[in-house]
Amino acid sequence: MSIRIVGAGLAGCEAAWQTAEHGIETELYEMKPARFSPAHKSAGFAELVCSNSLKAERVESAAGLLKEEMRRLGSLLVPCAFACRVPAGGALAVDRDAFSQMVTEKIRSHPLIHVHTGEVLTVPHGGINIVATGPLTSDALAGEIFSLCGGSLSFYDAAAPIVTAESLNMDRVFSASRYGRGEDDAYLNCPMNKEEYEAFYNELVHAERAPVHGFDTADPKVYEGCMPVEIMAGRGADTIRFGPMKPVGLRDPQTGHRPWAVLQLRRENAEGTLYNLVGFQTNLKFGEQKRVFGMIPGLEHAEFARFGVMHRNTFLNSPEVLSPDFSLRSDPGLFFAGQITGVEGYMESAASGLMAGLNASRRTAGEDPLVLPETTMIGALSRYAASGGEGPFQPMGANFGILPSLDEPIRDKRERYAALAERALKDLEKASGDCARS
Ligand SMILES: Cc1cc2nc3c(=O)[nH]c(=O)nc-3n(C[C@H](O)[C@H](O)[C@H](O)COP(=O)(O)OP(=O)(O)OC[C@H]3O[C@@H](n4cnc5c(N)ncnc54)[C@H](O)[C@@H]3O)c2cc1C
């Protein structure tokens, strides 16, 4: 028996790797390069559509713990990410092209994975299937999925621009990581004094935005963690100075002082020829991005390799329809994986793909699903998708707030996170060991 998987993004690739590594013939359907979503640009699998950061690396951080749990469960993407990393201080950032290329090669060369190119128009039925078509699922399939699952929820997600290194004015830019943590060449910093910041801020909040279908700027349902910089700026003159432009932990070598505000540029590729504007996801018109971001010292003549864009990001009302193993309650042979299940973020999407792939394999073998304990980051995310939280269902990324408290409270945050991570990994070993023995 084979398993069909639709979508070779982050979740679909992890799912396919799991099913194939469990010895199951896997039919993987991907519409690229025949058709591209508005945010996807390259033909490769596991494309990162915005930032090249997979967030923190330390196991004692929520994002680091998630990656460590995935690694222990046999993830494909986590080792590929480490192999394609570029300097990024305490974060794991990757050369997005090298990363996608490596994942694509691994998937295409697996003897049990058979890749089919073309848009899938209907939800697969019969046998075991996984739908991992992401927040930008093509229209025909999205229509069917959402009528099958009783409608959809959505918000808006934006991507940040990327500029070429050679177009930067290096007389104004300095390289340094915040507080000297990590490699100094990971970030370039564009420092601003008070006057420069105020002039920039004034233009930013008045700049012309690109129209987005159905987007009401009076009540923008944007994801707080990926909010367009101009919308964040509209909340107050200092909001971005305490957000993406915070100058803490940095000293401008030209003045010897902490700047009033800083834009950080993070390396995009191993060669260091491209940099992205950290936290500057935006929906400004392209000409306005050039004009307004060009006011930032160092970016006066910046050449944009990619402009920022904003897109609708659609997901299921999962607590109404999904089980914690990511299968549909009304059809246990049909699994969903990735951002469409209401997890938020690259690695969270991949983790749900891993679990959907693993449980689809177990179902094929007639075994009970593996639902990890909620003390693990993946277990907590799975339960969140299946049960939701307080109030209307909102996408959720990895964070320690979704794990149950420790039996013995620890006041110090670092120590508490370390204890939560230790408990998670211990419980993960036990659950996956028990499951391997069953
Ligand atoms: C604009 C935008 C910016 C984002 N920025 C970030 C960020 O900076 N950091 C972060 O952590 N997360 C970000 N996200 C959220 C999320 O992490 C990503 O969307 C992530 O790629 C989701 O993984 P996925 O596997 O669910 O979907 P995807 O990676 O999008 O994969 C889905 C795949 O399915 C294919 N597909 C779609 N429809 C069909 C069909 N009908 N037939 C066949 N194939 C199909 C697509 O071509 C794609 O390859 C962003 C999302 C958006 C929309």
Side-chain angles (χ1 to χ4, degrees):
M1 187 176 181
S2 64
I3 290 180
R4 277 175 293 188
I5 300 175
V6 189
L10 299 163
C13 288
E14 276 291 13
W17 191 253
Q18 282 295 320
T19 53
E21 288 288 285
H22 280 82
I24 300 168
E25 296 282 348
T26 300
E27 308 298 327
L28 178 61
Y29 297 82
E30 168 56 52
M31 67 178 184
K32 297 191 306 180
R35 188 166 175 193
F36 286 88
S37 85
H40 290 84
K41 303 279 177 251
S42 87
F45 300 162
E47 181 179 350
L48 303 178
V49 291
C50 176
S51 163
N52 66 330
S53 170
L54 307 180
K55 302 190 186 140
E57 188 181 338
R58 290 172 55 246
V59 175
E60 300 79 21
S61 67
L65 174 62
L66 177 69
K67 288 190 276 289
E68 178 58 18
E69 291 180 6
M70 291 172 68
R71 192 188 65 75
R72 293 187 185 201
L73 289 168
S75 161
L76 166 67
L77 267 54
V78 170
C80 288
F82 276 99
C84 300
R85 70 182 307 168
V86 294
L92 173 62
V94 299
D95 178 322
R96 74 180 72 221
D97 293 333
F99 171 71
S100 166
Q101 197 180 337
M102 181 179 267
V103 174
T104 306
E105 276 168 18
K106 296 239 180 226
I107 291 283
R108 284 196 180 275
S109 61
H110 198 294
L112 295 184
I113 302 178
H114 314 288
V115 176
H116 308 267
T117 304
E119 181 184 353
V120 172
L121 299 172
T122 55
V123 177
H125 286 291
I128 308 286
N129 301 291
I130 303 175
V131 176
T133 43
L136 301 164
T137 298
S138 70
D139 292 346
L141 184 62
E144 214 195 298
I145 292 172
F146 297 128
S147 57
L148 181 74
C149 299
S152 68
L153 303 169
S154 68
F155 65 104
Y156 284 85
D157 213 335
I162 295 175
V163 293
T164 62
E166 63 180 9
S167 66
L168 300 173
N169 174 4
M170 297 307 285
D171 292 340
R172 293 300 308 271
V173 167
F174 66 95
S175 54
S177 290
R178 252 182 238 289
Y179 299 108
R181 285 186 202 135
E183 315 84 340
D184 263 359
D185 60 347
Y187 291 95
L188 295 176
N189 301 280
C190 306
M192 278 180 160
N193 62 30
K194 190 165 186 283
E195 293 69 39
E196 287 166 334
Y197 174 80
E198 284 171 357
F200 163 74
Y201 174 82
N202 202 33
E203 291 303 317
L204 179 64
V205 289
H206 293 111
E208 208 180 331
R209 298 173 188 180
V212 181
H213 180 67
F215 182 64
D216 176 5
T217 45
D219 178 25
K221 270 195 216 150
V222 289
Y223 180 62
E224 288 279 329
C226 204
M227 175 176 291
V229 63
E230 62 276 8
I231 292 184
M232 193 187 289
R235 292 181 170 183
D238 279 326
T239 309
I240 54 172
R241 225 168 58 76
F242 289 96
M245 299 196 79
K246 63 178 181 283
V248 294
L250 292 167
R251 203 162 283 277
D252 182 352
Q254 283 193 11
T255 62
H257 297 298
R258 183 160 100 175
W260 184 255
V262 169
L263 165 66
Q264 286 205 301
L265 307 176
R266 184 174 44 230
R267 221 156 106 162
E268 259 291 311
N269 54 3
E271 301 79 32
T273 54
L274 296 172
Y275 279 83
N276 67 62
L277 281 60
V278 180
F280 263 47
Q281 45 279 351
T282 180
N283 184 40
L284 294 187
K285 285 190 161 173
F286 291 176
E288 290 289 80
Q289 292 185 37
K290 233 174 150 56
R291 181 181 70 82
V292 179
F293 298 159
M295 295 175 72
I296 298 172
L299 299 190
E300 297 87 345
H301 305 294
E303 186 194 332
F304 286 76
R306 185 188 76 186
F307 285 102
V309 282
M310 186 152 85
H311 291 293
R312 186 194 279 270
N313 194 333
T314 310
F315 55 101
L316 298 168
N317 192 359
S318 297
E320 296 290 320
V321 292
L322 287 190
S323 301
D325 66 352
F326 292 102
S327 68
L328 201 60
R329 281 184 217 148
S330 59
D331 178 358
L334 180 58
F335 290 78
F336 284 88
Q339 185 95 0
I340 200 168
T341 65
V343 295
E344 166 59 36
Y346 294 147
M347 282 293 113
E348 289 82 348
S349 297
S352 76
L354 192 160
M355 292 312 296
L358 196 150
N359 281 320
S361 308
R362 291 177 67 83
R363 192 172 300 278
T364 307
E367 295 166 0
D368 287 339
L370 171 63
V371 177
L372 294 174
E374 58 186 339
T375 48
T376 65
M377 196 54 80
I378 297 178
L381 282 169
S382 313
R383 272 159 222 264
Y384 178 82
S387 317
E390 298 290 311
F393 183 58
Q394 287 295 315
M396 180 67 75
N399 70 88
F400 282 120
I402 55 174
L403 302 191
S405 310
L406 293 161
D407 293 339
E408 299 285 327
I410 300 177
R411 280 180 76 86
D412 181 80
K413 199 161 88 173
R414 281 181 87 93
E415 286 176 21
R416 186 167 68 248
Y417 288 177
L420 286 166
E422 193 185 324
R423 180 184 71 178
L425 294 177
K426 213 181 275 169
D427 289 356
L428 176 76
E429 287 301 315
K430 189 169 178 316
S432 46
D434 288 350
C435 155
R437 281 190 293 278
S438 67

